[in-house]
């Protein structure tokens, strides 16, 4: 679909107002509707057709030379929303702030309402397609629905913080498992291991199975499988007859491996108990030579910055898009990812402005090449 859609001017002040409005609206996963309404209102005000689909995504289809998409939801947590000048005493070398410039504080300003608002502004300015997806911070229900409900675009730019000079081309995959075990209850003086011990022994074995081999201390984290327990619960059952244990685990999978191999390795360590797996997210590593990556490098240089090619140790919706669509893609957005989910989450508004300009140039370049 390469429908012709009129473009419209979006002054930077209006783009900033959209950003501030969206950050001011609490939108943790599952509670995105008010923020979604604000996005629909923004597109409608500029003559663009937009609606909220059956899972809650904001859809604004147009020229599919490129699809700009980011997530509407944030993680829980309250960071007071305010715009303040950057304080020289608080500046950090890795945060793109200069003394005196306006900085927006608030949950989601970096992850990923900043990228979301920048993409909405760029989509209206250039007439390209836009989707704001829901549930990225939990189960990616919005992206999972999108890849089966719409045609493949010619290119995708996913919105996550990379800094105005960063182009993210790789993410590790994601595998979530739930281990469950039970054992007969008995006096704690007995030597036989109980279910809680079985759970911890299994997890220790899994961690050891994925430890880098001797001499591989210099292997980057991106190229390793990392295993992390995120919750454990156990104790005597309600009827007092057994000990029960549940362990929630996450494994990150590098592009050099497939999720199925990692799952099998974890299961090979299983002697007692069972483990069930959620639907996995595959890893992704895009080429730096695609038209999307080239367009970003040129656009970033126009902003007098040196482009950086990034690989992230986490996971994003781009993994799902790459697994379903055979088109070039990259991830981009304003903000320092070290501030994701942090109590001091904040975004330089000057950086936000530059990201809108970069996205506009990229979308224009890809749309012109598609004509």
């Amino acid at each position: 679909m390469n429908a012709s859609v009129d473009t419209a001017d979006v002054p930077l002040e209006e783009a900033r107002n959209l950003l501030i409005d969206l950050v001011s609206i609490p939108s943790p996963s599952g509670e995105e509707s008010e923020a979604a309404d604000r996005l629909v209102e923004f597109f409608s005000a500029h003559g663009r057709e937009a609606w909220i689909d059956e899972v809650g995504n904001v859809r604004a289809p147009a020229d599919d030379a490129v699809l700009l998409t980011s997530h509407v939801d944030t993680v829980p947590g309250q960071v007071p929303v305010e715009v303040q000048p950057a304080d020289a005493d608080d500046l950090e070398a890795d945060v793109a702030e200069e003394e005196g410039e306006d900085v927006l504080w608030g949950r989601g300003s970096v992850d990923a309402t900043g990228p979301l608002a920048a993409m909405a502004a760029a989509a209206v300015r250039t007439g390209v397609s836009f989707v704001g997806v829901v549930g990225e911070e939990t189960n990616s229900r919005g992206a999972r629905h999108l890849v089966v409900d719409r045609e493949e675009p010619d290119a995708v730019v996913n919105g996550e913080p990379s800094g105005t000079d960063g182009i993210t081309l790789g993410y590790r995959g994601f595998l979530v498992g739930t281990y469950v075990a039970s054992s007969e209850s008995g006096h704690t003086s007995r030597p036989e291991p109980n279910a809680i011990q079985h759970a911890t022994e299994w997890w220790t074995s899994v961690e050891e199975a994925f430890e880098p081999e001797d001499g591989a201390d210099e292997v980057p984290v991106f190229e390793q499988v990392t295993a992390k327990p995120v919750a454990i619960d156990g104790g005597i059952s309600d009827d007092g007859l057994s000990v029960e244990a549940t362990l929630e685990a996450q494994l990150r999978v590098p592009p050099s491996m497939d999720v199925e191999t990692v799952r099998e390795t974890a299961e090979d360590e299983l002697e007692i108990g069972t483990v069930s797996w959620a639907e996995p997210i595959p890893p992704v590593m895009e080429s730096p030579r695609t038209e999307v990556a080239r367009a970003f490098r040129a656009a970033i240089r126009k902003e007098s910055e040196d482009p950086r090619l990034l690989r992230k140790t986490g996971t994003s919706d781009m993994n799902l898009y790459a697994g379903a669509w055979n088109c070039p893609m990259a991830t981009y957005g304003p903000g320092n990812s070290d501030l994701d989910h942090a109590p001091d989450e904040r975004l330089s508004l000057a950086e936000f402005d530059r990201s809108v300009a970069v996205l506009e140039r990229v979308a224009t370049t890809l749309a012109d090449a598609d004509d």
Side-chain angles (χ1 to χ4, degrees):
M1 178 180 65
N2 286 297
S4 176
V5 173
D6 291 337
T7 61
D9 181 43
V10 179
L12 284 176
E13 182 178 1
E14 183 181 354
R16 286 185 174 192
N17 287 339
L18 174 65
L19 169 65
I20 294 169
D21 285 352
L22 289 172
V23 171
S24 300
I25 299 170
S27 55
S29 303
E31 301 176 26
E32 302 100 333
S33 60
E34 186 178 352
D37 288 339
R38 178 65 179 91
L39 279 168
V40 170
E41 175 188 284
F42 171 77
F43 279 95
S44 298
H46 290 284
R48 284 281 295 269
E49 180 185 16
W51 70 90
I52 299 172
D53 68 18
E54 55 264 46
V55 301
N57 294 332
V58 177
R59 310 278 283 268
D63 185 348
D64 256 4
V66 60
L67 169 64
L68 303 181
T69 176
S70 186
H71 59 94
V72 182
D73 63 315
T74 69
V75 295
Q78 295 185 353
V79 178
V81 178
E82 53 187 344
V83 177
Q84 293 184 340
D87 187 336
D89 293 335
D90 295 332
L91 296 184
E92 303 172 25
D94 58 351
V95 176
E97 299 171 7
E98 296 182 7
E99 183 177 1
E101 74 178 18
D102 287 340
V103 174
L104 173 64
W105 291 69
R107 174 60 76 229
S109 55
V110 171
D111 187 16
T113 309
L116 178 76
M119 288 185 162
V124 169
R125 286 183 173 189
T126 60
V128 300
S129 292
F130 170 91
V131 178
V133 296
V134 294
E136 190 273 346
E137 297 288 1
T138 52
N139 56 10
S140 290
R141 70 183 188 280
R144 293 183 189 278
H145 176 75
L146 191 66
V147 296
V148 299
D149 193 59
R150 78 168 337 262
E151 294 180 357
E152 177 181 307
D154 295 334
V156 174
V157 177
N158 183 54
E160 292 284 356
S162 62
T164 53
D165 60 345
I167 312 160
T168 304
L169 299 177
Y171 285 97
R172 291 191 296 176
F174 190 47
L175 181 63
V176 177
T178 302
Y179 171 92
V180 176
S182 64
S183 59
E184 290 185 358
S185 60
H187 198 280
T188 55
S189 64
R190 291 170 54 182
E192 297 84 6
N194 63 20
I196 298 171
Q197 291 171 291
H198 292 316
T200 56
E201 288 169 0
W202 173 69
W203 189 247
T204 298
S205 297
V206 170
E207 290 179 323
E208 292 175 350
F210 292 114
E211 285 182 355
E213 297 179 2
D214 291 342
D217 294 341
E218 301 303 317
V219 176
V221 174
F222 181 80
E223 297 174 10
Q224 299 179 31
V225 175
T226 53
K228 188 76 65 176
V230 295
I232 186 167
D233 183 42
I236 302 296
S237 61
D238 291 341
D239 61 14
L241 300 179
S242 63
V243 176
E244 300 174 339
T246 301
L247 186 149
E248 301 283 344
Q250 296 180 356
L251 297 100
R252 303 284 177 167
V253 183
S256 60
M257 300 182 68
D258 61 86
V259 173
E260 182 65 17
T261 298
V262 171
R263 183 189 65 78
E264 289 176 355
T265 299
E267 288 185 349
D268 285 345
E269 303 301 324
L270 191 67
E271 296 183 2
I272 296 175
T274 62
V275 61
S276 58
W277 303 97
E279 186 174 357
I281 299 176
V284 57
M285 188 66 229
E286 288 285 305
S287 169
R289 292 180 291 277
T290 68
E291 53 267 45
V292 175
R294 289 197 300 269
F296 266 111
R297 287 197 294 272
I300 289 168
R301 291 188 181 109
K302 285 285 187 179
E303 289 296 309
S304 301
E305 296 190 62
D306 293 326
R308 296 179 300 123
L309 301 180
L310 305 177
R311 305 183 303 175
K312 295 290 187 73
T313 58
T315 307
S316 79
D317 282 340
M318 188 173 90
N319 299 60
L320 294 171
Y321 302 140
W325 293 332
N326 186 29
C327 64
M329 57 189 69
T331 292
Y332 177 83
N336 176 4
S337 58
D338 287 345
L339 298 177
D340 289 3
H341 309 179
D344 57 347
E345 187 172 2
R346 64 195 188 275
L347 175 65
S348 158
L349 292 181
E351 181 180 358
F352 173 77
D353 296 345
R354 291 193 296 274
S355 74
V356 174
V358 168
L359 286 164
E360 182 178 4
R361 289 193 183 99
V362 168
T364 299
T365 297
L366 295 174
D368 288 347
D370 200 56
D371 288 342

